[in-house]
């Protein structure tokens, strides 16, 4: 009986992670839910196949099926998309930051009629905002514009303490470009490969 309950609870927790984070790779689910080795993780996820959809991209990438969405009350419907990489990179930072409980994705920061910007994610730790930006296939001009808007928010002193900007990008060249854009800001730029 205890085994059945804990198995049910583990499945529920995995589905809730997918509800919160969208797409998760097998290895991310493995880390988040301490599933042990790859073989065990694959077994656990196979047992949940009724609730999951997946596609292959170096490893299996999972998201909620209709049954999975119904089980955890998720209204957002996801389909296999190139945008999944954006989610996966963001989730790598979520895990690296210790899975903050107040993590929120796609958050609008706005001073009406002055400036508004949508952060890819953010969380607050010790009264400090951590603003997450993912640069997967973004044009550098779009990043430049975003940084300009963050600088405007800083000028307007909207944060109690200076925020920390955490970027993740794909190449060393793009990391250097982002570091230049963020000069003078409390910013760290990681490569996707830093978390493998």
């Amino acid at each position: 009986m205890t085994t059945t309950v804990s198995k049910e609870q583990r499945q529920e927790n995995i589905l809730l992670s997918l509800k919160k984070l969208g797409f998760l790779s097998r290895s991310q689910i493995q880390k988040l839910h301490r599933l042990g080795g790859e073989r065990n993780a694959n077994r656990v996820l196979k047992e949940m196949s009724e609730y999951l959809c997946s596609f292959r991209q170096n490893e299996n990438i999972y998201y909620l099926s209709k049954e999975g969405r119904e089980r955890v009350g998720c209204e957002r419907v996801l389909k296999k998309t190139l945008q999944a990489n954006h989610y996966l990179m963001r989730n790598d930072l979520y895990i690296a930051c210790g899975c903050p409980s107040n993590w929120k994705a796609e958050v609008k920061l706005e001073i009406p009629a002055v400036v508004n910007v949508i952060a890819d994610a953010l969380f607050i730790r010790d009264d400090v905002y951590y603003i997450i930006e993912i640069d997967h296939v973004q044009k550098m001009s779009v990043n430049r514009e975003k940084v300009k808007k963050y600088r405007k928010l800083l000028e307007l002193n909207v944060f109690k303490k200076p925020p920390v900007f955490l970027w993740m990008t794909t190449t060393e060249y793009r990391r250097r470009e982002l570091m230049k854009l963020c000069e003078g800001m409390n910013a760290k730029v990681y490569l996707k490969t830093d978390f493998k």
Side-chain angles (χ1 to χ4, degrees), residues 12 16 36 46 75 85 89 91 110 115 152 172 175 177-178 191:
E12 189 90 0
L16 288 170
K46 190 173 180 176
E75 291 175 12
N85 282 320
M89 289 169 70
N91 294 341
E110 180 180 31
V115 62
K152 186 71 181 169
E172 194 56 55
R175 180 182 0 213
E177 291 298 304
L178 288 168
L191 285 180

Side-chain angles (χ1 to χ4, degrees), residues 87-121:
Y87 283 80
L88 296 173
M89 289 169 70
R90 185 170 62 196
N91 294 341
D92 277 338
L93 272 181
Y94 170 75
I95 294 168
C97 291
C99 308
S101 59
N102 58 10
W103 175 279
K104 288 184 183 154
E106 307 296 329
V107 179
K108 188 174 191 177
L109 303 171
E110 180 180 31
I111 304 285
V114 179
V115 62
N116 75 73
V117 58
I118 296 177
D120 287 331

Side-chain angles (χ1 to χ4, degrees), residues 58-175:
N58 298 326
E59 61 181 324
N60 281 349
I61 310 300
Y62 293 91
Y63 57 102
L64 294 173
S65 68
K66 182 174 178 285
E67 291 75 15
R69 290 194 306 273
E70 283 171 5
R71 183 164 164 184
V72 291
C74 178
E75 291 175 12
R76 184 175 50 161
V77 179
L78 292 177
K79 299 282 180 195
K80 179 184 172 185
T81 166
L82 290 177
Q83 190 68 8
N85 282 320
H86 182 88
Y87 283 80
L88 296 173
M89 289 169 70
R90 185 170 62 196
N91 294 341
D92 277 338
L93 272 181
Y94 170 75
I95 294 168
C97 291
C99 308
S101 59
N102 58 10
W103 175 279
K104 288 184 183 154
E106 307 296 329
V107 179
K108 188 174 191 177
L109 303 171
E110 180 180 31
I111 304 285
V114 179
V115 62
N116 75 73
V117 58
I118 296 177
D120 287 331
L122 69 74
F123 66 96
I124 303 168
R125 184 176 286 157
D126 300 328
D127 289 333
V128 175
Y129 277 82
Y130 287 78
I131 297 173
I132 311 298
E133 283 298 331
I134 303 300
D135 172 49
H136 177 237
V137 286
Q138 192 93 285
K139 286 184 179 169
M140 203 48 82
S141 60
V142 174
N143 290 332
R144 194 171 296 118
E145 194 53 39
K146 244 183 168 178
V147 170
K148 209 164 82 184
K149 289 178 177 180
Y150 285 128
R151 285 191 189 277
K152 186 71 181 169
L153 289 173
L154 290 170
E155 279 172 32
L156 296 168
N157 287 320
V158 297
F159 302 101
K160 223 189 271 180
K161 294 180 179 176
V164 177
F165 295 89
L166 302 178
W167 286 80
M168 184 186 278
T169 189
T170 52
T171 67
E172 194 56 55
Y173 170 78
R174 295 185 73 85
R175 180 182 0 213

